[in-house]
Structure formats: structure tokens, C-alpha cells
């Protein structure tokens, strides 16, 4: 057959080729690259190549693969290279153990990060070398030491033959009929009706994975008179602590500094503006001495809106770049956030500390279905 | 081994063991078939193997990490080796991740290999998927395996996200917060889903432990089952092969599993492991100690997720701030659409593609020889358009970095992306089709005229000509391996000009038009009166027509489709 026969005569349905036809490359004698049915029959049936081959119908061709590479001398030198690589790998593995034992980590001897990175360097290099040397050695083995070979295997049609299909259909239907399921609709329908609740009922026990939301997303812990603590230092702050405009300070409600659940809603930012900068829709009654407080939780998906540009009074959320105008009630200038950052009403208490006048007047953070 | 016809025998001890085993398992015939199984060779067939071996390495390194990781959100005050965080409040999950990094020898190496392996796993899946797509290797009978692959891709992304969320550091916690905001954005049930997942309000005290068991048991179990099914089907249906000399729809040409493929693939496992070890040694990844523990009050600037989440991040960044307030309820299109509908469309579209293509081409036949991408111009163009959409989303996911490095205004990058995601794929679709058809045209001219050698000779009359050499057999086999044009258009109209029942009416006309678009191409039959390559004149052409008729099932194949006149006339 020519090399052109990649076309139709080889479609699976038409091909009744032998169970397996294997060919070898030129060096091996006596085998064809691709054998047709006739050739196969001739070889297996009429002139057996050896006594062994005549033993039975399952006997495959002998020696489908060549025994030796074409260039024995080159193979010999490649063998040495591969052997050297395997030895290198073994040494590298030993080096891995040595690095494990020899390179201490922890902060006993100075910088802990340096010690870790030293250990990582030693262990990692040894490990990489151990693996790569084996890998390269094996590739040399298969490419330069094993004789080159190319075999051809027949594909069989994926579809079963019609007899098998109809036999299958027969078995399936026969089974269904014998089981009576097709003949007894009451049995069948009640069984189907029973499987639905059986499948759904277990979902109910997932209910206790968490409490129901209730109105918890609508409120934060801020309430009248609660002091604003500077995040991290946890110190209360007075209006006089701002000596000049600019800068953004993250504040948390007093008493909840370590409560992540509450901080995830209640965290706020305070910004001191130049006189006259604050404009509607900022609620000026909720500000103190040109200091305005907004929720820090972005109304898009809840990242902290943590970047503030003094010159433009823009608050930027670093996650998805929603931009809010701090001087105008934190209205949205750009980005996917649908609403302004809610403003926290603040005032000062008797000692002059900044405190909340009340909770936020609307839910903070991302949209949710019940938000309304 | 002196005579090639001599029967070989196993060494006695091995033969005895083998006989004992076969007495019980009846395996000699089946295992022999498996050992002799032929694997075709092409460098792109390695991409799936990279994914497979990364997965195995993920399991190995993951087991090591579970020995030391404490999936608990119980708050502790850190007093460990890393003195910069001394006295800082953090979860036990973060503390134990610090301990793995600083107090367990090889812990940082395993963490970094694990993280790199996750990235390489998904990158390899993406490349493997693209290879399968652009060569049409998903066509019948492999469309089932394509679906399994798409499922694994989706699970892999989820698995990666859960994994990098568990250390509970500032960066990962931000990702979890975005996931929570996304859940809240699901209409009707979103708030409930969020409260059930987090055991109450975000962040709660549950999610690390819940992510942990899903990450180390549930999804790996599913992936393992799907990987097994994927490989079983691959073996059972046999590998596809690239077009080439002697490669037909009815055979597989390559090297046997034992010993060749075993050694090759074994070597490849060591390569992948070695490369990941190199990365983990010299390319730091996710140094969680630098960002500190998670707190909902703070964030690090330039937060970037792992690359495979980038398209979702970009989708969220790009989408306009559309929300509806109706009847006391908030519908947040700004979150729901980009974070859930867009990936839903992408993955559903991927999964359904083989079916869509069957409808578009009318080609329901088996395909075991892959297409060269140029030979399926419309498919390749759709693929490139998809890559463009994904690419724009992905780049937009890093738009702050891009804006910073290229000195482009930040908002401009988003505006560009909003246009590019619609305009880009259209341009790319058109350009890709033209490029593919151009390449086909070049192939057709090489078949008829040969290859330009670059050697210029002066003729006796003083003129200069470039020598051309005829293609060799390998080249002809490769180039002329163009699949027949899908045939429904041939059957669209019978001899009286009456359309087939299936192609009547509006839907039928649309389908007929789509068939035409998909079928456009240049004829690439092998040269009929061969340039001394020994193939019979006309032989190949006849066979080609025969194949067309068979595959399409129609009465006659079209001699030419679309612009395809040039090639055959040249002969």
C-alpha cells in the first residue's frame, strides 16, 4: 500500500484488518511497515516462521521490535553519559539529605528568613538536580540507546457491531420487563416519587452550617457616643490631633478592635479636608471641623477602600478601582461600585474625642438581595 | 537474541511469579496488549502530561503540607521564629503556615512547589485545552472526554482558589472577601449561601476548616476520578495523531507503551518535578509572611490573584456599576454578571462547542487524525476570538499593574478593555480566517509548484529564476491532509434546486449559511502527476472524493467549495 491511502478505504467500517499489525523500521528484516490482511494470513497460516508461532491463533509475531540500536558504538558512549547522570542524581539525593541535616533553620543563628532561604536553596537545588538528572538520563536512554522504532496499530470501530447492539437492547428490555417495572406503573411511579424527597431531604441538614442572615447585614456596632479608635494603635483621636488637612486614617469602633466579624462591616475612614472643600451631598451635620467619616468597606464586593489621593480627594479601592469623591459624599466617580461609601455621623464627646453620633444610616458594604 | 525468530522466555523466577498472578487474574493477553499499545508522538501531546504530573506532584506535596498545616481560625498571638510578627494576633491557620515556612525543614520548599505546581497544573490544562481545540481533537468520539476535561478545568480553578485562601494571610483573605461579595450578589439566595458557607457573617470562624476539607478531600477525589476516566477513555479510544505520512483514520503510528513510552513519560515526570523544584528554589511565590495575617480592615496595594483567577478579576473590574432596586430587593448586576454569568458562559460554551460545531458543519463522522488549525479556518477563528475575550478579561485583571508600568491612565485601561472585549474578537475572528485561508493557499501552491529553495540561477538568456524543489512524501502527507469540506451544503439543494427538508425555513437557511462559512477553504489534494515522488496520477484525487462522500453521507462530494478553485486547477 502506498502512503496515500490515508483516505477512505481505511474508514473503520470497511476495514477488516487483522487484530493487530505491527511493523518495524528498516533495520529489522522480514517485517513490513504495514501489512494487509492477505499478508497477515500468509505469514500466520501457510508459512510459519518458527515452530513457536504455529502454537495457536493468539500467537503474535515474534520480535516486533529490533533487538539492538543501529550504531552500537554510539549507544555505548551514550550509555556512559546516562550512567553518569544517574550517578549525579544519586549524589544530589545524598546532597538533599545533607542539606536537610546540615542547614539549620529557625532564629537561633540570626535572621530567620535568611536561614530559611539558605535551607530552601540547598534542598531545592539538590532536589531539582536529582530529578532533572534522572529525567535527562532516561531521555538519553530512550532516544539514543534504544533502537528507533515505529509501530502501526489498527484502530477498531468505536461503535459495536449491530448484533452486539441488538443483543444489548434485548438484554436491557428483557431485564426491565422481567423486573415488572415497565408493566406496573404504580410501582414505577411511586418509586420515582420517592427518590426525589430521598435526594432532597439530606440538603436540609446543611441548614445548620450557618445562622440565617436576618437583618445582621443592615447594621454595624457603631452607636451614639462610641469612640473612634485609630486602627492598629487603638488610641482614641481628637479633632485637634489633625494638624493639617489631608491624609486618611482608618478607625474602628471602641471595644471591637479584635472582632473581625464586626470590623468587616464597621471599619471606617476619617479624612480631614480643607475648609470649604466638603460639599453636598456630604452631610455636614455629620462632620466635625471639616473631618468626615465614611465606611471603608467598598460597596462593590467589600474590599477595604484603602487608597486616598490628597490632591484630588479621591478614595480608590485597590481591588477593582472603584473611585469615590471624598469631598462630595463619597459619590462614585469610576468603577463598578454602585453606591457611595455610606457616611458615618460623627461628633466630639466631652473630652474632645471623636465619637459616632449613631450607626450608619444605610447598610454598608456590597449589595445583597434583601438590601432594598 | 541471535535469531529474530527465536521465541524469548522470561527468567524463571519472574515467569513463576507471572504465572501465579495470571492464574488469578487472567491478565496475560490484556496486559500484553496494553504493553504494546502504540502512542503517537508530537510535542503538543506532552501538554496534558504536564497537567497530569503536576496533579500528582500536588498530591504528594499536599500530603506533606497537611502534616503541619492547622486549618483553624482560632485566634492566637504569634511568638514564633519570625520576630517581625511577634505579638501579632492571627489565626492558627496563618500561624501554622508561618511555621511550615520557618520551622519545618523543607517546608518552604514544599509550599512553594505546591503553589507553583498549582499554577503549572492550570497553565498546562489551558494549553492542553487549546491544543485539543485548535486541532479538532475533541471531535467524535472524543467529545465525551472533552466534557470531562472542561469539568476538570473548572474544578481545578476552584481547587486553586480554595488552596490559596487557606493560609489566611492578607492577600488571600482579600480574595475570600471578594468571593463573599460575589456570593452576596446572587439574586434571591445569595445572602443565605454566604451565611451558610461562612457560618454567619464574614469572615466568621469556619471558612478555613471548610475550605480545607473541600480542598484536600472532596475536589481532589473528584479530580482523581475524572483524571482516571479521562485517561481510561484516552487509552480505550486510542490517541489521535497529527497528519503525516502513513497516518490514517484507521491506524495509530508511533512507539509502543513498553518500553518506549514508559521511559519517555517517566522521564517527563522527573522533568516536571525537577522544573517545579527549580522554580520553588529560585522563584519565590506567595511569601505570606510579608503581607501579614488577614484583617478585613486592611489591604495591600496591587493585590493580584493567581493567574487563573485573573479573568474573573478583570471581568469584575470592567463591568459597569449596574444595579436595580426593585420592590425592596437589590439586583447587583455589577457583581452577578461579571463574576458568575461571564464565567458561566465561557465554560458552558467550551463544553457545548463540539455539539455546536457538529450543528454548524453537519459533520457527524469519526475523526482520529487531527486538523492543522489552518485547515479549519472558522473553528480556528472562533477559538482565537474566544482567546481574545479571555485575554482581554485577563489583562484587565492586571490593569493597575499595566497602567503603572506603561504609564497609561488607570481608567483609560478599563475604557479600552470595555471596547476591546467586544471589538477585539470580531477583528481577530476576521483576521484569523484570512490568515488561515492564506496559509491554505500557500500550501496549495507548494503542492503544485514545490518549495522555493532560495537558490537563484542565471539562465543562458540572462534571466534569473529561483529553483524550486518538489515536496517530499512527508511534506505532501502533511499538507494534503486537509479534511474534506463538510458536506451538508452539497446536499442542501437537489438536482431540481429544492433544498433538503432539514435546510428549509428560516432555521434551515441559517444552518445552510453556517455550513458555508465553516466549509470555506482551499482544495489541498496531493499533486496528481507527482513530482517524481512515485504516486499515481489521479489516485489521490479519487480517494479524496470517496472520503468526502463517505464522511458526509451524501450522494456526491462537492469538487470545490468556496474559493477553492486555485489548487486543483493548478494540477
Amino acid at each position: 500500500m502506498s502512503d496515500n491511502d490515508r483516505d477512505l478505504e481505511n474508514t473503520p467500517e470497511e476495514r477488516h484488518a487483522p487484530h493487530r499489525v505491527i511493523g518495524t523500521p528498516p533495520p529489522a528484516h522480514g517485517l513490513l511497515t504495514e501489512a494487509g490482511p492477505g499478508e497477515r494470513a500468509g505469514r500466520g497460516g501457510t508459512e510459519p516462521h518458527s515452530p513457536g508461532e504455529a502454537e495457536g491463533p493468539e500467537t503474535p509475531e515474534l520480535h516486533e521490535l529490533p533487538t539492538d540500536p543501529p550504531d552500537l558504538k554510539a549507544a555505548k558512549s551514550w550509555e556512559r553519559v546516562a550512567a553518569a547522570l544517574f550517578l549525579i542524581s544519586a549524589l544530589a539525593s545524598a546532597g538533599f539529605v545533607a542539606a536537610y541535616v546540615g542547614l539549620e533553620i529557625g532564629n537561633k543563628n540570626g535572621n530567620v528568613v535568611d536561614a530559611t532561604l539558605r535551607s530552601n536553596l540547598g534542598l531545592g537545588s539538590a532536589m531539582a538536580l536529582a530529578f532533572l538528572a534522572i529525567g535527562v538520563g532516561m531521555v538519553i536512554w530512550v532516544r539514543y540507546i534504544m533502537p528507533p522504532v515505529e509501530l502501526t496499530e489498527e484502530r477498531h470501530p468505536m461503535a459495536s457491531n449491530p448484533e452486539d447492539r441488538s443483543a444489548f437492547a434485548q438484554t436491557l428490555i428483557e431485564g426491565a420487563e422481567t423486573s415488572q417495572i415497565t408493566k406496573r406503573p404504580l410501582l414505577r411511579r411511586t418509586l420515582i416519587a420517592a427518590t426525589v424527597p430521598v435526594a432532597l431531604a439530606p440538603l436540609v441538614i446543611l441548614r445548620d452550617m450557618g445562622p440565617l442572615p436576618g437583618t445582621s447585614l443592615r447594621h454595624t456596632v457603631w452607636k451614639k457616643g462610641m469612640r473612634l479608635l485609630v486602627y492598629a494603635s487603638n488610641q482614641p483621636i481628637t479633632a485637634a490631633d489633625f494638624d493639617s488637612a489631608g491624609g486618611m486614617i482608618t478607625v474602628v469602633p471602641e471595644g471591637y478592635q479584635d472582632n473581625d466579624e464586626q470590623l468587616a462591616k464597621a471599619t471606617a475612614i476619617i479624612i480631614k479636608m480643607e475648609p470649604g472643600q466638603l460639599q453636598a451631598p456630604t452631610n455636614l451635620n455629620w462632620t466635625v471641623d471639616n473631618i468626615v467619616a465614611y465606611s471603608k468597606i467598598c460597596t462593590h464586593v467589600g474590599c477595604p477602600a484603602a487608597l486616598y489621593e490628597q490632591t484630588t480627594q479621591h478614595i480608590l479601592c485597590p481591588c477593582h478601582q472603584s473611585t469615590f469623591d471624598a469631598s462630595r459624599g463619597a459619590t462614585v466617580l469610576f468603577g463598578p461600585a454602585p453606591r457611595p461609601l455610606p457616611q458615618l455621623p460623627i461628633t466630639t464627646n466631652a473630652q474632645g474625642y471623636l465619637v459616632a453620633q449613631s450607626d450608619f444610616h444605610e447598610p454598608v458594604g456590597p449589595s445583597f438581595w434583601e438590601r432594598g | 537474541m541471535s535469531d529474530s525468530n527465536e521465541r524469548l522466555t522470561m527468567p524463571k523466577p519472574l515467569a513463576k511469579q507471572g504465572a501465579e498472578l495470571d492464574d488469578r487474574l487472567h491478565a496475560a493477553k490484556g496486559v500484553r496488549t496494553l504493553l504494546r499499545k502504540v502512542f503517537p508522538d508530537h510535542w503538543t501531546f506532552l501538554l496534558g502530561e504536564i497537567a497530569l504530573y503536576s496533579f500528582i506532584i500536588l498530591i504528594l506535596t499536599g500530603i506533606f503540607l497537611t502534616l503541619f498545616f492547622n486549618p483553624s481560625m482560632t485566634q492566637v498571638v504569634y511568638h514564633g521564629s519570625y520576630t517581625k510578627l511577634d505579638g501579632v494576633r492571627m489565626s492558627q491557620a496563618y500561624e501554622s503556615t508561618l511555621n511550615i515556612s520557618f520551622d519545618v525543614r523543607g517546608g518552604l520548599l514544599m509550599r512553594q512547589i505546591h503553589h507553583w505546581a498549582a499554577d503549572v497544573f492550570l497553565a498546562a490544562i489551558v494549553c492542553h485545552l487549546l491544543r485539543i481545540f485548535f486541532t479538532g481533537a475533541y471531535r467524535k468520539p472524543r467529545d465525551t472526554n472533552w466534557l470531562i476535561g472542561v469539568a476538570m478545568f473548572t474544578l481545578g480553578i476552584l481547587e486553586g482558589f480554595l488552596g490559596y485562601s487557606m493560609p489566611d494571610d492578607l492577600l488571600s483573605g482579600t480574595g475570600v472577601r471578594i468571593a463573599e461579595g460575589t456570593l452576596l450578589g446572587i439574586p434571591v439566595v445569595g445572602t443565605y449561601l454566604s451565611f451558610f458557607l461562612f457560618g454567619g457573617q464574614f469572615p466568621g470562624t469556619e471558612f478555613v476548616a471548610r475550605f480545607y476539607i473541600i480542598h484536600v478531600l472532596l475536589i481532589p477525589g473528584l479530580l482523581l476520578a475524572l483524571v482516571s476516566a479521562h485517561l481510561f477513555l484516552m487509552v480505550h479510544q486510542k490517541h489521535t495523531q497529527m497528519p503525516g505520512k502513513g497516518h490514517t483514520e484507521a491506524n495509530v503510528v508511533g512507539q509502543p507503551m513498553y518500553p518506549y513510552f514508559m521511559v519517555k513519560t517517566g522521564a517527563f515526570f522527573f522533568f516536571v518535578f525537577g522544573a517545579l523544584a527549580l522554580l520553588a528554589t529560585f522563584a519565590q511565590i506567595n511569601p505570606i509572611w510579608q503581607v501579614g495575617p488577614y484583617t478585613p480592615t486592611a489591604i495591600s496595594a496591587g493585590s493580584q490573584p493567581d493567574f487563573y483567577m485573573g479573568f474573573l478579576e478583570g471581568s469584575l473590574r470592567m463591568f459597569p456599576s449596574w444595579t436595580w432596586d426593585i420592590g425592596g430587593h437589590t439586583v447587583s448586576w455589577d457583581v452577578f454578571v461579571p463574576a458568575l454569568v461571564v464565567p458561566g458562559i465561557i465554560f458552558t460554551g467550551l463544553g457545548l462547542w463540539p455539539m455546536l460545531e457538529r450543528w454548524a458543519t453537519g459533520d457527524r463522522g469519526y475523526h482520529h487524525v487531527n486538523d492543522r488549525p489552518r485547515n479549519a479556518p472558522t473553528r480556528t477563528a472562533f477559538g482565537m476570538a474566544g482567546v481574545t475575550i479571555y485575554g482581554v478579561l485577563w489583562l484587565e485583571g492586571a490593569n493597575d499593574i499595566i497602567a503603572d508600568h506603561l504609564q497609561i491612565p488607570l481608567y483609560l485601561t478599563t475604557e479600552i478593555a470595555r471596547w476591546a472585549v467586544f471589538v477585539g474578537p470580531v477583528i481577530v475572528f476576521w483576521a484569523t480566517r484570512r490568515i488561515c485561508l492564506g496559509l491554505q493557499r500557500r500550501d496549495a501552491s507548494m503542492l503544485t509548484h514545490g518549495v522555493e529553495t532560495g537558490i537563484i540561477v542565471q539562465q543562458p538568456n540572462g534571466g534569473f529564476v529561483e529553483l524550486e524543489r518538489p515536496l517530499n512524501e512527508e511534506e505532501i502527507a502533511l499538507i494534503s491532509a486537509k479534511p474534506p469540506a463538510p458536506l451538508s451544503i452539497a446536499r442542501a439543494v437537489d438536482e431540481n434546486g429544492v433544498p433538503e427538508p432539514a435546510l428549509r425555513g428560516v432555521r434551515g437557511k441559517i444552518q445552510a449559511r453556517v455550513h458555508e462559512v465553516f466549509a470555506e477553504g482551499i482544495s489541498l489534494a496531493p499533486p496528481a502527476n507527482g513530482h517524481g515522488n512515485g504516486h499515481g496520477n489521479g489516485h489521490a484525487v479519487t480517494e479524496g472524493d470517496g472520503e468526502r462522500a463517505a464522511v458526509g453521507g451524501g450522494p456526491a462530494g462537492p469538487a470545490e467549495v468556496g474559493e477553492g478553485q486555485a489548487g486543483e486547477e493548478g494540477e
Side-chain angles (χ1 to χ4, degrees):
Chain A
M1 289 193 203
S2 79
D3 295 315
N4 264 351
D5 61 3
R6 43 186 335 288
D7 293 316
L8 197 43
E9 58 186 71
N10 290 335
T11 50
E13 293 77 13
E14 295 182 26
R15 178 61 74 109
H16 298 288
H19 164 67
R20 165 181 293 272
V21 176
I22 300 286
T24 54
H29 51 88
L31 294 170
L32 297 167
T33 315
E34 194 177 357
E39 290 160 320
R40 158 77 181 207
R43 176 147 24 114
T46 56
E47 30 173 52
H49 285 211
S50 71
E53 202 168 14
E55 275 169 16
E58 292 302 327
T59 308
E61 294 90 342
L62 292 178
H63 296 269
E64 293 161 350
L65 306 176
T67 35
D68 284 314
D71 185 348
L72 283 172
K73 216 174 143 198
K76 185 74 195 161
S77 44
W78 281 117
E79 183 187 1
R80 291 196 194 100
V81 177
L85 284 162
F86 294 153
L87 289 178
I88 288 173
S89 172
L91 289 176
S93 295
F96 183 84
V97 176
Y100 188 87
V101 177
L103 294 174
E104 289 200 6
I105 59 171
N107 56 2
K108 287 155 248 159
N109 314 312
N111 190 319
V112 62
V113 177
D114 285 351
T116 295
L117 293 183
R118 263 199 306 278
S119 163
N120 192 59
L121 183 68
L123 290 170
S125 322
M127 187 177 181
L129 186 59
F131 285 138
L132 291 175
I134 290 194
V136 175
M138 286 172 79
V139 166
I140 287 173
W141 173 26
V142 71
R143 285 190 67 129
Y144 300 117
I145 302 174
M146 288 193 202
V149 69
E150 187 172 84
L151 300 188
T152 299
E153 190 180 2
E154 295 299 312
R155 286 186 197 278
H156 309 289
M158 287 310 299
S160 309
N161 63 40
E163 298 82 55
D164 286 345
R165 281 194 179 186
S166 68
F168 172 81
Q170 166 76 17
T171 304
L172 192 73
I173 299 306
E174 187 183 23
E177 286 186 351
T178 308
S179 77
Q180 309 289 310
I181 195 89
T182 48
K183 295 177 191 160
R184 300 183 187 276
L186 178 67
L187 180 78
R188 186 173 68 237
R189 288 173 195 160
T190 49
L191 176 62
I192 292 170
T195 54
V196 176
V198 159
L200 291 182
L203 287 179
V204 174
I205 63 169
L206 296 179
R207 159 65 189 85
D208 280 347
M209 282 182 70
L212 295 183
T215 57
S216 56
L217 290 181
R218 308 192 73 86
H219 310 291
T220 74
V221 290
W222 288 109
K223 61 179 192 209
K224 187 173 180 190
M226 184 179 276
R227 291 198 293 185
L228 281 58
L229 300 190
V230 174
Y231 168 65
S233 74
N234 293 333
Q235 296 302 309
I237 187 170
T238 67
D241 288 343
F242 290 89
D243 33 22
S244 63
M248 181 172 94
I249 294 172
T250 300
V251 291
V252 295
E254 183 168 25
Y256 295 91
Q257 304 91 306
D258 290 340
N259 186 328
D260 281 345
E261 261 171 50
Q262 294 307 328
L263 292 182
K265 293 184 300 182
T267 305
I269 47 180
I270 52 176
I271 302 168
K272 167 119 177 167
M273 297 279 180
E274 300 283 356
Q277 269 184 339
L278 281 173
Q279 295 168 31
T282 315
N283 188 332
L284 296 178
N285 295 328
W286 292 352
T287 63
V288 175
D289 192 19
N290 292 308
I291 297 169
V292 64
Y294 295 113
S295 166
K296 194 182 184 182
I297 309 304
C298 183
T299 54
H300 180 219
V301 284
C303 292
L307 301 178
Y308 180 62
E309 194 175 41
Q310 282 184 33
T311 48
T312 55
Q313 295 99 45
H314 288 179
I315 302 165
L316 183 90
C317 176
C319 282
H320 307 102
Q321 293 137 22
S322 294
T323 310
F324 306 90
D325 187 345
S327 62
R328 294 166 194 273
T331 44
V332 181
L333 294 171
F334 189 84
R339 287 179 302 278
L341 300 170
Q343 188 183 346
L344 179 69
I346 55 169
T347 182
T348 49
N349 67 6
Q351 292 85 38
Y353 291 117
L354 294 179
V355 295
Q357 289 184 34
S358 69
D359 192 3
F360 291 98
H361 284 230
E362 59 175 311
V364 300
S367 305
F368 52 97
W369 175 251
E370 296 83 0
R371 187 181 184 280
Chain B
M1 301 195 188
S2 52
D3 183 349
S4 70
N5 290 323
E6 185 184 329
R7 177 161 293 283
L8 303 172
T9 51
M10 279 204 270
K12 273 238 169 72
L14 197 58
K16 188 164 178 299
Q17 288 303 319
E20 293 291 337
L21 269 177
D22 190 57
D23 285 348
R24 289 158 179 80
L25 302 175
H26 185 68
K29 192 179 163 192
V31 173
R32 179 192 174 270
T33 309
L34 195 65
L35 292 178
R36 253 316 133 76
K37 186 175 175 52
V38 167
F39 279 79
D41 210 3
H42 191 268
W43 67 269
T44 58
F45 295 171
L46 293 176
L47 296 168
E49 283 181 60
I50 298 181
L52 175 66
Y53 293 137
S54 303
F55 180 63
I56 291 171
I57 292 163
L58 280 166
I59 291 177
L60 293 176
T61 51
I63 290 171
F64 180 86
L65 293 174
T66 59
L67 302 177
F68 302 98
F69 180 65
N70 182 358
S72 155
M73 293 180 79
T74 304
Q75 299 288 308
V76 291
V77 175
Y78 182 71
H79 293 295
S81 301
Y82 187 61
T83 45
K84 279 184 186 167
L85 288 175
D86 194 55
V88 171
R89 185 175 65 90
M90 59 182 63
S91 65
Q92 287 185 332
Y94 185 73
E95 184 196 34
S96 61
T97 313
L98 286 177
N99 291 343
I100 289 173
S101 305
F102 293 122
D103 299 304
V104 177
R105 281 176 287 181
L108 181 66
L109 185 68
M110 290 300 134
R111 253 197 66 224
Q112 299 205 125
I113 292 181
H114 194 72
H115 201 128
W116 270 119
D119 281 353
V120 168
F121 175 60
L122 279 154
I125 286 180
V126 171
C127 296
H128 176 60
L129 181 141
L130 291 176
R131 197 285 288 177
I132 299 289
F133 182 89
F134 284 114
T135 60
Y138 54 78
R139 289 172 298 175
K140 190 177 173 184
R142 294 178 185 79
D143 32 9
T144 323
N145 227 7
W146 167 263
L147 273 179
I148 294 175
V150 172
M152 286 195 289
F153 182 24
T154 319
L155 282 175
I157 291 177
L158 184 61
E159 175 76 344
F161 172 75
L162 295 176
Y164 81 66
S165 297
M166 287 176 354
D168 204 24
D169 59 287
L170 188 57
L171 183 61
S172 73
T174 303
V176 179
R177 174 94 222 208
I178 295 173
E180 189 247 2
T182 303
L183 277 182
L184 287 180
I186 299 176
V188 187
V189 294
T191 318
Y192 289 85
L193 289 180
S194 171
F195 272 66
F196 291 157
L197 179 62
F198 289 93
Q201 296 187 55
F202 177 86
T205 53
E206 307 289 341
F207 84 77
V208 170
R210 288 178 180 176
F211 282 19
Y212 179 75
I213 199 63
I214 299 172
H215 179 82
V216 304
L217 180 69
L218 184 59
I219 297 185
L222 286 173
L223 280 174
L224 208 55
L226 289 172
V227 165
S228 310
H230 204 64
L231 292 179
F232 169 79
L233 278 180
M234 189 268 288
V235 168
H236 182 61
Q237 299 178 328
K238 295 197 170 76
H239 214 289
T240 57
Q241 55 193 349
M242 292 299 182
K245 189 181 152 195
H247 299 186
T248 74
E249 289 287 350
N251 69 12
V252 194
V253 180
Q255 297 190 319
M257 163 104 138
Y258 168 79
Y260 290 87
F261 183 74
M262 272 180 178
V263 177
K264 275 186 184 175
T265 199
F268 204 57
F269 171 75
F270 287 111
F271 274 134
V272 174
F273 215 154
L276 288 170
L278 269 188
L279 279 168
T281 309
F282 295 105
Q284 188 174 65
I285 190 163
N286 201 16
I288 48 116
W289 59 91
Q290 289 179 0
V291 291
Y294 179 65
T295 160
T297 55
I299 188 169
S300 56
S303 297
Q304 289 291 314
D306 274 23
F307 85 93
Y308 46 86
M309 299 297 289
F311 78 106
L312 285 174
E313 181 82 349
S315 181
L316 273 168
R317 288 180 182 189
M318 188 190 302
F319 205 79
S321 57
W322 296 342
T323 50
W324 284 355
D325 281 320
I326 335 169
H329 291 295
T330 302
V331 187
S332 39
W333 301 113
D334 61 328
V335 176
F336 179 60
V337 173
L340 295 164
V341 175
V342 167
I345 291 173
I346 291 178
F347 287 103
T348 312
L350 269 180
L352 293 181
W353 175 263
M355 220 169 79
L356 295 175
E357 194 189 61
R358 262 204 305 280
W359 176 83
T361 59
D363 178 357
R364 293 171 184 281
Y366 287 101
H367 294 279
H368 302 295
V369 177
N370 291 326
D371 284 339
R372 302 173 81 202
R374 70 186 59 177
N375 290 338
T378 307
R379 174 203 300 147
T380 305
F382 268 112
M384 288 307 294
V387 168
T388 308
I389 294 174
Y390 183 93
V392 170
L393 295 177
W394 189 72
L395 286 173
E396 170 70 5
N399 72 329
D400 45 346
I401 312 284
I402 292 171
D404 187 35
H405 282 274
L406 300 184
Q407 302 289 309
I408 307 171
L410 181 65
Y411 303 150
L412 183 62
T413 58
T414 300
E415 297 289 358
I416 292 173
R418 282 173 180 171
W419 281 99
V421 82
F422 292 106
V423 178
V426 176
I427 297 173
V428 168
F429 181 89
W430 178 83
T432 306
R433 275 192 96 230
R434 298 332 295 175
I435 291 169
C436 287
L437 292 169
L439 287 170
Q440 285 188 25
R441 203 166 283 126
R442 198 185 67 170
D443 286 348
S445 90
M446 289 206 300
L447 281 173
T448 49
H449 300 296
V451 190
E452 294 171 356
T453 57
I455 300 168
I456 311 286
V457 293
Q458 190 174 21
Q459 293 176 316
N461 64 8
F464 290 92
V465 293
E466 183 177 3
L467 292 183
E468 290 176 338
R469 84 173 159 77
L471 296 172
N472 63 33
E473 289 182 3
E474 281 285 349
E475 291 164 338
I476 290 173
L478 180 68
I479 288 178
S480 57
K482 182 171 178 283
L487 284 203
S488 308
I489 23 170
R491 298 180 291 143
V493 178
D494 68 14
E495 61 272 22
N496 300 322
V498 180
E500 272 205 359
L503 299 177
R504 285 177 206 153
V506 178
R507 255 189 77 195
K509 277 179 186 147
I510 293 173
Q511 196 176 0
R513 175 72 193 120
V514 173
H515 285 347
E516 280 176 42
V517 172
F518 270 79
E520 184 176 355
I522 314 292
S523 171
L524 293 174
N529 51 0
H531 301 265
N533 56 21
H535 292 297
N537 187 0
H539 178 58
V541 175
T542 332
E543 284 184 351
D545 282 350
E547 180 173 63
R548 286 166 181 170
V551 172
E560 294 297 332
V561 178
E563 313 173 24
Q565 298 299 331
E568 220 143 75
E569 275 173 9
E571 298 166 3

